[in-house]
Amino acid sequence: MFRGIAVSIINLVLIIPITLAFPSHNSGAILQDVASAKNSDIVNVSTVPSRLAIINFDDGYKSQFTNAKPILDMYGFKASFFIVCNFVGKSAKEMNSSSIVNFAGKGVEQMTWNDITTLYKLGYQMGSHTMNHLRNMTNMPNSELDYEIEHSKQCILDHGIPVTTFAYPFDNGSDNATIVSKVSQYYSYARSGNYPLMFLHCDHFRQDTQQHDCRTYLPSSKISFANRYSIIGWSHDYDRLRYFYNDKQMLNRFIQVVSGQEKYNRAGLPIDAIPIVVYHRIDNSHAPYSTTVSLFTKEMRYLYNNGFKVINMADLAYNNSTNSFYLKNS
């Protein structure tokens, strides 16, 4: 879940017209709609740079398995799921317990270990999102930080699933030296946010004009905005909540964000910018941090029909010599 940072690009005028029929909300109709969309013509992308996207899901909601997975599978897309270990297998009633932190997922059913293991065996990536999704990581003693950061990795590993990537709950801690040091002991990478694109050389972010590569620390000893322990994602739900977007407006915003890489990626040159789109619930509850099944279907269809290659966080690697990211097998 994201706390988020508002950026000026959000206020750009949306000019991309979209006319798509909404599928009905039953699962059979959803899959039929997706199958139909897959058979439509794909845009010829041979003359343009590669279009890429990374899809993330936070908090481990059951709807990610029941609603998002079938759509991803139909398009052949793989995503990264960030799991809150002590939430796994809890029913909606159990998630409403007083022991659960007060956040958007309180009272919402979670995936089981069988769901998570199934995803992993199908080629989806799992990451850690702490043990309890607490807000106050910056105020925790070392022993509690170790539990939330290190033990959450071990918890997932105990189920036979390796973990190399961490995501900060509430986007809290990526600018704290103590927390970043802890994360770096146990994970190769960590994700934070909030910005429409992740730049692989970390050199185009407006938040910090001092940053020219992906070093964790700036010359001033301040932690940089983007680095291997702060890979920048874009919270789909944050924009929708902040600007009160309906589904049509949110689809336009999604297209604007994922297409923003075309300003930076040049044909014949290494990829420089990738959108990392972060979702939470995929259902028709219209609750905060929820994306409707219809909208999610349309967004995945847009990626498929316009030649986007969807990769996951495990496809990113870091070059210590150049202090930049690159894509494996590219």
Side-chain angles (χ1 to χ4, degrees):
M1 180 174 166
F2 274 82
R3 177 180 58 193
I5 302 168
V7 293
S8 59
I9 191 173
I10 293 173
N11 296 316
L12 293 174
V13 176
L14 302 177
I15 59 172
I16 304 173
I18 296 293
T19 304
L20 294 170
F22 282 75
S24 63
H25 291 163
N26 68 77
S27 59
I30 291 168
L31 293 179
Q32 184 177 5
D33 183 76
V34 173
S36 176
K38 281 193 71 175
N39 292 327
S40 61
D41 291 337
I42 301 175
V43 173
N44 183 347
V45 296
S46 61
T47 59
V48 299
S50 297
R51 295 183 174 105
L52 298 176
I54 295 175
I55 299 169
N56 283 190
F57 293 93
D58 280 4
D59 302 344
Y61 299 113
K62 185 73 170 183
S63 65
Q64 296 170 1
F65 188 83
T66 57
N67 294 336
K69 175 186 173 294
I71 297 166
L72 294 168
D73 287 347
M74 287 295 292
Y75 287 121
F77 294 164
K78 299 301 180 186
S80 300
F81 293 79
F82 289 86
I83 306 302
V84 183
C85 220
N86 278 340
F87 292 176
V88 176
K90 291 192 183 300
S91 66
K93 182 178 180 180
E94 290 171 324
M95 282 297 295
N96 209 31
S97 164
S98 59
S99 64
I100 302 297
V101 65
N102 188 21
F103 79 120
K106 192 174 180 71
V108 182
E109 184 182 5
Q110 300 287 303
M111 286 193 286
T112 65
W113 281 116
N114 185 62
D115 296 335
I116 293 167
T117 302
T118 297
L119 288 171
Y120 172 68
K121 289 180 177 178
L122 290 173
Y124 291 92
Q125 183 202 13
M126 300 300 122
S128 167
H129 203 29
T130 72
M131 292 296 294
N132 294 298
H133 204 283
L134 300 177
R135 292 180 181 273
N136 60 338
M137 284 181 62
T138 54
N139 297 321
M140 289 179 184
N142 278 338
S143 58
E144 191 172 2
L145 274 180
D146 282 336
Y147 177 70
E148 293 293 333
I149 295 172
E150 186 273 334
H151 195 67
S152 59
K153 175 178 181 173
Q154 186 61 48
C155 172
I156 300 172
L157 185 59
D158 287 346
H159 289 83
I161 301 173
V163 176
T164 60
T165 308
F166 178 84
Y168 302 90
F170 301 101
D171 189 27
N172 177 251
S174 64
D175 58 352
N176 181 282
T178 300
I179 294 173
V180 169
S181 176
K182 290 283 186 186
V183 170
S184 70
Q185 292 177 44
Y186 304 111
Y187 302 91
S188 300
Y189 307 106
R191 198 208 71 226
S192 62
N194 181 31
Y195 203 87
L197 295 171
M198 173 60 195
F199 299 105
L200 300 193
H201 291 83
C202 303
D203 54 352
H204 295 296
F205 294 106
R206 297 182 183 181
Q207 273 83 350
D208 199 331
T209 56
Q210 299 180 58
Q211 187 163 1
H212 303 294
D213 60 24
C214 300
R215 299 170 202 258
T216 305
Y217 291 91
L218 299 169
S220 64
S221 298
K222 175 184 174 183
I223 295 177
S224 59
F225 175 67
N227 54 70
R228 65 187 303 171
Y229 308 112
S230 181
I231 297 172
I232 305 301
W234 172 68
S235 176
H236 185 276
D237 298 304
Y238 176 79
D239 269 21
R240 184 177 60 81
L241 290 169
R242 179 175 175 82
Y243 296 99
F244 304 99
Y245 288 147
N246 60 31
D247 276 10
K248 181 177 180 181
Q249 292 169 321
M250 194 64 231
L251 177 60
N252 282 344
R253 176 61 179 147
F254 172 85
I255 293 170
Q256 184 188 48
V257 166
V258 298
S259 301
Q261 63 189 286
E262 294 173 14
K263 176 181 177 181
Y264 303 96
N265 296 339
R266 300 286 183 261
L269 296 177
I271 295 295
D272 188 38
I274 303 175
I276 302 175
V277 184
V278 183
Y279 294 95
H280 295 83
R281 296 167 64 179
I282 307 296
D283 58 32
N284 297 319
S285 66
H286 301 284
Y289 290 88
S290 170
T291 299
T292 64
V293 176
S294 176
L295 176 58
F296 184 72
T297 301
K298 291 179 179 182
E299 291 174 343
M300 297 304 101
R301 177 195 303 158
Y302 178 83
L303 296 179
Y304 184 87
N305 284 353
N306 287 276
F308 282 78
K309 180 181 180 182
V310 175
I311 61 176
N312 65 35
M313 300 290 283
D315 292 307
L316 292 176
Y318 191 79
N319 186 323
N320 287 297
S321 298
T322 61
N323 288 302
S324 63
F325 292 92
Y326 64 95
L327 298 179
K328 297 177 183 176
N329 303 317
S330 64

